[in-house]
């Protein structure tokens, strides 16, 4: 290559070019019969090139024939006419034959026909493997249907056999100095769950109190005793006849308003291994207060064991993730099936909830907020604003590659801060894919980048990403003082640093712009093809004689010239997504097709969105914080519907993602069922134990790193919506544990950074499939996982500096 480059340059000056006359001159004295024989042996496309035109003329003169016309275009010869037979050339002594180009073309057609026949035969040969694949596909289908029908039969049979749990609270009162007794009907029970509701301190408030103060507080004391009974099962009432008793449970009373209060629910499980032969178990209670204590009590015999419940919950959760990850069925259908199965598991252990109780498990705030934002986006999409923004990006960047990509991603991120990020990418993607097609770019990497930036933008506000909506609507989070303004302030600053890191990392990973192209531009492909032909011609020369040197020199100079042209075109291609000569025509075509279709409706939509955003920020003012995020979004949606003045709402409601809303509803039911099975408490307990093992001064840092990396890593492989639904309960439990003494707000930011920034995989797949582009998990993983690791590293450093160094919270 170095020799070719030096032969092409002809001098030591790096920027000097040889003109055509310099390397096309061939002295007649250098041409011998052997030289012409070498020339005749070259490929047709090389032999008739203008660069070797001197050989052709000398051959024709020696053959005493008229020169044949040559059609030239861009330095390449097309359809050269047949030269005289080599046997008629006196210079060659009639020793060498030259193939007729037309005959060569006919030969190629015959070869193509033979290849087609071979292709058909190969297709016939592979039919057995096709039948084998069909059998595998059928087996998978029948296995899937068998498992799903098995689940249906299971929970249907359970619901037909098990009654709904009716939890009955008995109102009672304890007079000072008097014991209250309740006899269990099931004398063979080994445990009992006791629930009391009355003037009690909450568990969190009780844990925060000093031990010396606790000893002086008035309390309710509860325990279980075994009393002997007669043959009819009636217990003796004398307390001194009690044979055995359990440890007592003390519930601290409030220090005032024992007669009139809101009431606090407390629960405790008594486990006993008491001999029940000829005896009964009795629940006994007394109060240390000097006043009468009125409260309600309920008890359930043999509640579900924690270990068994956790195992069942893990199986259900893994089943949901398997159905979603491997796309066995639609994710909404998967959530419905698994959540219904979880209700059947609860029914088996006597905890089947009633329909009103199941409805109460739904987070109506989250569902209402999502529905309202979907209505706003659905009407905005009719204006064509998303298509217009993509074409505007193409015009502003003038077809330059990286400015075009990053500006598209920036617009997507900005829109995703206040609109649903999945919907935003779906609306931006059609014209983006069209841009990629006219510029021969691969749409899949571009859609991957847009999905990543939509996640980044959506993480900045409470309404941009579904996990944010779930967390921001949580009652414990709202009670912790987290509103729209401080949420955005804490998250947006970190998102700014993450955006910079993502831009640099993507630019480095795709420094070879050929990875972004569906195929090389036609001009570059043609030059590469020409270089390949000329190099093969040079390599085919037999030995380094004087005659070979004359021909090889011409070939090498041509290769050098084509290589220089190729390098120039590659430099231009790496900077531009669209060639200069086609940019203007492409822009005009896109402007005619993608433009704002309804300007009055766009203005009305801007008014409604502006109202929603302004009221969101006004939530930070206590006097104006009387309307929740969901109600604010609903008011904005109603305003836009009024301004749009639609006679028929069916088209708007048709674009609402009802499947997504049902998916959220099913997840809320599932997570509440998993909570009743003990999984949430179990995970929270494990994390609390890990945090408790470190020094008190390092607990916040450890908690932040644990939450962000666990949620971020898991959400890289599974859908982050069910993960967030579960983890927000765990984080709230950790933040409200007085033994840990950790602030809740930084833990919430850590959860959102991890869950949101790690969950771009499903969105990228969803967006690509909407437009006919499928790509594997591994293809996204090779790009998305390193970027996600970069996200978590930057977010970790940001949280440590803000909350462990400067204590921003």
């Amino acid at each position: 290559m170095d020799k070719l480059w030096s032969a092409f340059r002809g001098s030591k000056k790096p920027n000097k070019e040889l003109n055509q006359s310099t390397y096309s001159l061939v002295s007649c004295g250098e041409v011998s019969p052997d030289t012409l024989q070498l020339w005749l042996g070259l490929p047709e496309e090389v032999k008739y090139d203008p660069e070797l035109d001197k050989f052709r003329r000398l051959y024709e003169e020696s053959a005493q024939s008229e020169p044949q016309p040559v059609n030239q275009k861009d330095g390449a010869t097309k359809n050269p006419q047949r030269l005289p037979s080599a046997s008629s050339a006196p210079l060659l002594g009639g020793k060498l034959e030259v193939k007729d180009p037309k005959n060569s073309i006919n030969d190629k057609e015959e070869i193509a026909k033979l290849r087609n026949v071979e292709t058909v035969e190969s297709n016939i040969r592979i039919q057995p493997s096709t039948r084998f694949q069909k059998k595998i596909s059928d087996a998978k289908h029948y296995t899937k249907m068998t498992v799903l029908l098995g689940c249906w039969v299971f929970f249907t049979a359970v619901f037909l056999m098990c009654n709904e749990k009716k939890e009955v609270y008995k109102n009672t009162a304890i007079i000072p100095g008097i014991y209250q007794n309740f006899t269990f009907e099931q004398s063979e029970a080994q445990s009992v769950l006791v629930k009391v509701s009355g003037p009690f301190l909450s568990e969190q408030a009780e844990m925060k109190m000093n031990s010396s103060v606790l000893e002086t507080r008035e309390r309710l004391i509860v325990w279980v005793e075994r009393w002997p009974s007669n043959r009819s099962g009636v217990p003796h009432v004398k307390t001194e006849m009690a044979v055995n008793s359990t440890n007592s449970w003390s519930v601290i009373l409030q220090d005032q308003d024992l007669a009139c209060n809101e009431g606090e629910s407390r629960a405790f499980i008594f486990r006993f291994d008491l001999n029940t032969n000829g005896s009964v178990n009795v629940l006994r209670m007394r109060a240390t207060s000097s006043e009468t204590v009125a409260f309600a009590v309920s008890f359930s015999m043999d509640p579900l064991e924690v270990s068994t419940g956790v195992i069942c919950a893990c199986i259900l959760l893994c089943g949901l993730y398997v159905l979603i990850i491997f796309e066995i069925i639609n994710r909404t259908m998967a959530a419905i099936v698994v959540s219904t199965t979880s209700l059947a598991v609860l029914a088996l252990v006597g905890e089947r909830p009633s329909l009103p109780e199941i409805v109460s498990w739904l987070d109506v705030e989250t569902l209402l907020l999502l529905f309202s934002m979907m209505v706003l986006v659905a009407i905005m999409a009719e204006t064509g604003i998303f298509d217009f923004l993509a074409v505007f990006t193409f015009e502003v960047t003038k077809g330059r590659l990286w400015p075009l990509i990053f500006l598209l991603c920036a617009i997507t991120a900005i829109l995703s801060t206040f609109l649903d990020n999945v919907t935003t990418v779906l609306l931006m993607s059609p014209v983006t894919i069209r841009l990629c097609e006219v510029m021969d770019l691969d749409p899949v990497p571009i859609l991957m980048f847009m999905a990543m930036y939509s996640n980044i933008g959506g993480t900045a506000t409470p309404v941009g990403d579904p996990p944010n909506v779930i967390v921001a609507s949580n009652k414990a989070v709202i009670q912790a003082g987290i509103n729209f303004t401080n949420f955005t302030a804490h998250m947006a600053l970190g998102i700014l640093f993450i955006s910079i890191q993502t831009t640099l990392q993507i630019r480095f990973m795709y420094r070879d712009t050929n990875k972004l192209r569906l195929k090389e531009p036609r001009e570059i492909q043609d030059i590469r093809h020409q270089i390949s032909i000329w190099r093969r011609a040079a390599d085919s020369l037999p030995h380094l004689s004087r005659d070979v040197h004359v021909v090889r020199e011409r070939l090498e100079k041509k290769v050098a010239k084509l290589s220089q042209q190729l390098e120039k075109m590659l430099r231009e291609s790496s900077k531009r997504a669209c060639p200069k000569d086609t940019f203007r025509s492409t822009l005009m075509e896109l402007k005619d097709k993608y433009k704002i279709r309804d300007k009055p409706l766009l203005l009305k939509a801007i008014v409604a969105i502006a109202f929603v955003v302004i009221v969101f920020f006004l939530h930070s003012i206590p006097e104006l914080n009387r309307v929740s995020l969901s109600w604010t979004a609903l008011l904005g949606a109603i305003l836009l519907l009024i301004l749009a003045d639609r006679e028929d709402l069916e088209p708007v409601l048709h674009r609402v993602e009802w499947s997504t809303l049902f998916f959220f509803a099913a997840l809320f039911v599932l997570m509440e069922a998993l909570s009743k099975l003990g999984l949430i408490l179990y995970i929270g307990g494990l994390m609390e134990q890990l945090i408790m093992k470190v020094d008190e001064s390092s607990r916040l840092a450890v908690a932040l790193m644990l939450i962000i990396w666990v949620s971020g890593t898991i959400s890289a492989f599974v859908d982050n919506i069910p993960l967030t639904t579960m983890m927000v309960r765990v984080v709230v439990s950790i933040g409200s544990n007085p033994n840990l003494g950790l602030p809740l707000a930084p833990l919430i930011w850590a959860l959102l950074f991890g869950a949101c920034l790690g969950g771009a995989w499903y969105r990228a797949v969803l967006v690509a499939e909407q437009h006919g582009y499928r790509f594997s998990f591994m293809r996204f993983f090779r790009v998305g996982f390193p970027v996600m690791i970069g996200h978590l590293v930057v977010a970790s450093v940001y949280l440590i500096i803000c909350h462990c160094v400067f204590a921003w919270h």
Side-chain angles (χ1 to χ4, degrees):
M1 187 67 188
D2 294 334
K3 292 181 179 179
L4 293 176
W5 181 251
S6 60
F8 167 72
R9 301 182 67 83
S11 68
K12 295 183 178 179
K13 295 182 179 179
N15 297 325
K16 185 177 180 180
E17 280 192 28
L18 294 171
N19 55 34
Q20 182 174 343
S21 62
T22 305
Y23 60 79
S24 64
L25 294 177
V26 180
S27 171
C28 293
E30 296 176 327
V31 180
S32 65
D34 291 336
T35 305
L36 286 180
Q37 186 174 348
L38 289 170
W39 172 76
L40 286 171
L42 295 175
E44 301 290 334
E45 189 171 352
V46 173
K47 183 165 59 179
Y48 296 112
D49 190 272
E51 307 296 345
L52 302 179
D53 192 47
K54 176 65 73 174
F55 292 98
R56 182 183 62 82
R57 289 201 302 270
L58 290 173
Y59 174 81
E60 291 170 351
E61 291 174 1
S62 66
Q64 297 179 354
S65 61
E66 296 181 0
Q68 303 298 321
V70 179
N71 297 326
Q72 299 179 4
K73 183 178 180 181
D74 296 334
T77 303
K78 290 190 177 181
N79 301 327
Q81 295 185 9
R82 182 183 178 186
L83 292 177
S85 173
S87 59
S88 65
L91 222 64
L92 301 179
K95 295 182 180 179
L96 187 64
E97 277 191 356
V98 181
K99 281 189 176 182
D100 188 342
K102 293 182 180 178
N103 292 338
S104 178
I105 294 174
N106 293 334
D107 292 342
K108 293 178 181 178
E109 292 177 354
E110 292 297 327
I111 292 173
K113 290 179 181 178
L114 291 174
R115 287 179 177 174
N116 289 336
V117 172
E118 292 174 0
T119 303
V120 173
E121 292 177 353
S122 65
N123 289 338
I124 294 174
R125 288 196 299 268
I126 65 173
Q127 281 184 355
S129 64
T130 304
R131 288 196 297 267
F132 179 70
Q133 292 176 356
K134 187 177 185 302
K135 289 181 179 179
I136 293 179
S137 177
D138 291 342
K140 291 180 179 178
H141 172 73
Y142 291 129
T143 303
K144 177 185 75 173
M145 295 304 299
T146 301
V147 172
L148 293 178
L149 286 175
C151 292
W152 180 86
V153 171
F154 167 70
F155 56 67
T156 301
V158 170
F159 291 152
L160 289 175
M161 294 186 297
C162 300
N163 295 322
E164 294 180 353
K165 179 186 177 182
K166 295 181 179 179
E167 190 170 20
V168 178
Y169 277 90
K170 299 180 179 180
N171 296 320
T172 185
I174 295 181
I175 301 173
I178 303 297
Y179 290 79
Q180 189 66 268
N181 303 322
F182 294 94
T183 303
F184 299 153
E185 297 178 358
Q186 301 178 12
S187 59
E188 296 181 356
Q190 299 297 312
S191 61
V192 59
L193 171 64
V194 178
K195 296 181 181 179
V196 293
S197 179
F200 310 114
L201 286 181
S202 65
E203 187 175 0
Q204 289 78 14
E206 183 177 329
M207 294 174 67
K208 291 180 182 179
M209 295 183 66
N210 193 311
S211 58
S212 59
V213 177
L214 280 176
E215 294 177 357
T216 61
R217 292 294 297 266
E218 297 176 340
R219 66 193 65 206
L220 173 71
I221 303 175
V222 186
W223 71 99
V224 176
E225 289 183 356
R226 181 173 64 85
W227 286 5
S229 63
N230 54 26
R231 293 181 180 179
S232 60
V234 178
H236 294 283
V237 297
K238 294 182 179 181
T239 59
E240 61 270 11
M241 296 183 66
V243 178
N244 204 345
S245 65
T246 63
N247 295 328
S248 62
W249 170 44
S250 297
V251 188
I252 305 300
L253 298 173
Q254 296 179 5
D255 55 359
Q256 56 185 358
D257 297 331
L258 295 182
C260 183
N261 54 80
E262 294 182 0
E264 179 71 26
S265 297
R266 299 290 299 274
F268 188 81
I269 296 179
F270 290 98
R271 304 186 186 280
F272 39 83
D273 186 14
L274 307 179
N275 184 9
T276 57
N277 294 329
S279 61
V280 294
N281 295 321
V282 179
L283 178 69
R284 308 201 66 195
M285 295 178 287
R286 70 180 181 88
T288 61
S289 173
S290 58
E291 301 179 29
T292 300
V293 180
F295 59 96
V297 61
S298 172
F299 47 86
S300 302
M301 308 306 299
D302 286 332
L304 179 66
E305 291 289 336
V306 175
S307 58
T308 305
V310 169
I311 293 173
C312 293
C314 289
I315 294 174
L316 291 169
L317 196 60
C318 291
L320 174 65
Y321 285 146
V322 168
L323 293 175
I324 292 178
I325 292 174
F326 296 101
E327 300 179 353
I328 298 175
I329 57 176
N330 178 271
R331 68 168 186 165
T332 301
M333 191 62 194
I336 292 174
V337 170
V338 176
S339 62
T340 309
T341 306
S342 69
L343 296 178
V345 172
L346 288 177
L348 283 178
V349 296
E351 297 286 337
R352 179 184 171 184
S354 63
L355 185 59
E357 185 179 1
I358 294 174
V359 173
S360 68
W361 294 353
L362 304 179
D363 192 338
V364 181
E365 287 284 334
T366 301
L367 297 176
L368 182 59
L369 179 57
L370 289 172
F371 169 78
S372 303
M373 298 304 293
M374 288 176 183
V375 172
L376 288 171
V377 173
I379 298 178
M380 275 194 71
E382 298 179 5
T383 65
I385 182 62
F386 299 98
D387 298 338
F388 171 79
L389 288 174
V391 177
F392 172 76
T393 302
F394 181 68
E395 181 179 13
V396 168
T397 58
K398 301 187 183 300
R400 291 188 294 270
L401 181 60
W402 284 112
L404 173 65
I405 293 175
F406 285 130
L407 187 54
L408 275 174
C409 293
I411 291 176
T412 305
I414 293 172
L415 291 175
S416 298
T417 55
F418 297 105
L419 305 177
D420 175 52
N421 52 8
V422 178
T423 306
T424 301
V425 179
L426 285 174
L427 294 173
M428 289 286 291
S429 57
V431 67
T432 301
I433 291 176
R434 177 58 184 155
L435 286 173
C436 294
E437 289 173 350
V438 300
M439 295 181 292
D440 286 334
L441 295 176
D442 186 359
V444 171
I446 312 301
L447 294 177
M448 287 165 49
F449 300 158
M450 293 177 67
M452 292 177 189
Y453 276 86
S454 73
N455 261 15
I456 293 172
T459 308
T461 63
V463 296
D465 204 3
N468 290 15
V469 176
I470 294 171
V471 172
S473 303
N474 186 276
K475 292 182 179 179
V477 174
I478 296 174
Q479 293 173 359
I482 297 177
N483 53 47
F484 189 93
T485 303
N486 57 28
F487 187 110
T488 305
H490 282 80
M491 297 294 293
L493 183 59
I495 289 301
L496 178 62
F497 296 120
I498 291 172
S499 301
I500 297 173
Q501 164 260 322
T502 305
T503 302
L504 296 176
Q505 191 169 355
I506 288 177
R507 185 66 179 87
F508 175 77
M509 295 175 67
Y510 283 85
R511 56 190 180 278
D512 180 9
T513 55
N514 289 328
K515 296 180 181 179
L516 296 172
R517 298 192 180 278
L518 198 58
K519 58 183 179 180
E520 280 191 321
R522 177 62 58 185
E523 298 82 1
I524 295 179
Q525 291 183 33
D526 292 341
I527 290 185
R528 288 189 188 278
H529 181 62
Q530 290 182 42
I531 291 175
S532 176
I533 293 174
W534 284 80
R535 279 179 175 162
R536 284 200 305 268
D539 294 338
S540 66
L541 297 179
H543 55 274
L544 292 176
S545 65
R546 181 178 180 276
D547 298 319
V548 172
H549 178 73
V550 174
V551 179
R552 184 186 296 277
E553 183 182 1
R554 304 304 106 188
L555 298 177
E556 289 180 348
K557 288 181 178 179
K558 179 65 176 181
V559 169
K561 181 181 179 182
L562 292 174
S563 298
Q564 187 183 44
Q565 292 178 1
L566 176 63
E567 290 180 5
K568 182 178 179 181
M569 294 186 68
L570 287 175
R571 286 195 300 268
E572 182 70 16
S573 175
S574 64
K575 297 177 181 178
R576 296 190 61 82
C578 182
K580 289 183 179 179
D581 52 351
T582 61
F583 168 73
R584 185 56 55 184
S585 60
T586 303
L587 178 61
M588 296 306 297
E589 176 188 351
L590 293 174
K591 277 190 170 182
D592 291 339
K593 185 176 181 180
Y594 303 105
K595 53 187 177 182
I596 296 179
R597 298 182 292 270
D598 193 338
K599 292 183 179 179
L601 182 60
L602 176 60
L603 181 61
K604 297 171 184 177
I606 292 174
V607 171
I609 293 292
F611 163 78
V612 172
V613 173
I614 291 172
V615 177
F616 278 166
F617 281 105
L618 291 178
H619 284 172
S620 58
I621 303 176
E623 290 77 10
L624 299 177
N625 190 13
R626 295 184 176 89
V627 181
S628 64
L629 294 177
S630 59
W631 268 106
T632 302
L634 180 62
L635 293 175
I638 294 174
L639 173 62
L640 184 54
L641 288 172
I642 293 174
L643 295 176
D645 192 19
R646 295 295 175 86
E647 296 181 359
D648 186 11
L649 292 181
E650 190 66 26
V652 176
L653 296 178
H654 181 71
R655 285 192 291 271
V656 172
E657 298 175 33
W658 296 106
S659 176
T660 301
L661 295 178
F662 280 112
F663 177 62
F664 273 84
L667 285 180
F668 291 137
V669 174
L670 175 62
M671 292 306 156
E672 187 66 32
L674 297 183
S675 178
K676 288 185 174 295
L677 290 172
L679 180 63
I680 307 298
L681 186 61
Y682 178 76
I683 296 176
L686 288 179
M687 297 184 71
E688 288 175 4
Q689 290 178 13
L690 291 175
I691 298 171
M692 287 290 291
K693 290 181 178 180
V694 301
D695 186 73
E696 187 174 354
S697 60
S698 304
R699 285 179 184 174
L700 179 58
V702 171
L704 292 176
M705 295 302 99
L706 187 63
I707 292 173
I708 190 172
W709 284 94
V710 168
S711 59
T713 305
I714 295 177
S715 63
F717 299 95
V718 301
D719 197 341
N720 59 2
I721 295 175
L723 173 70
T724 307
T725 309
M726 178 184 68
M727 285 297 295
V728 67
R729 295 169 175 261
V730 175
V731 171
V732 169
S733 173
I734 295 173
S736 59
N737 188 338
N739 292 331
L740 298 177
L742 299 177
L744 179 61
L747 306 181
I748 293 295
W749 313 142
L751 171 63
L752 293 176
F753 275 125
C756 295
L757 297 176
W761 149 247
Y762 180 80
R763 288 155 176 74
V765 172
L766 178 64
V767 171
E769 289 183 351
Q770 290 283 335
H771 301 280
Y773 291 92
R774 294 184 63 88
F775 60 97
S776 64
F777 174 82
M778 288 307 300
R779 181 173 182 183
F780 184 88
F781 183 82
R782 285 191 293 268
V783 178
F785 192 76
V787 174
M788 185 271 293
I789 294 297
H791 289 167
L792 298 185
V793 170
V794 174
S796 299
V797 174
Y798 169 75
L799 291 174
I800 291 294
I801 293 176
C802 289
H803 300 288
C804 295
V805 178
F806 295 105
W808 188 4
H809 55 276

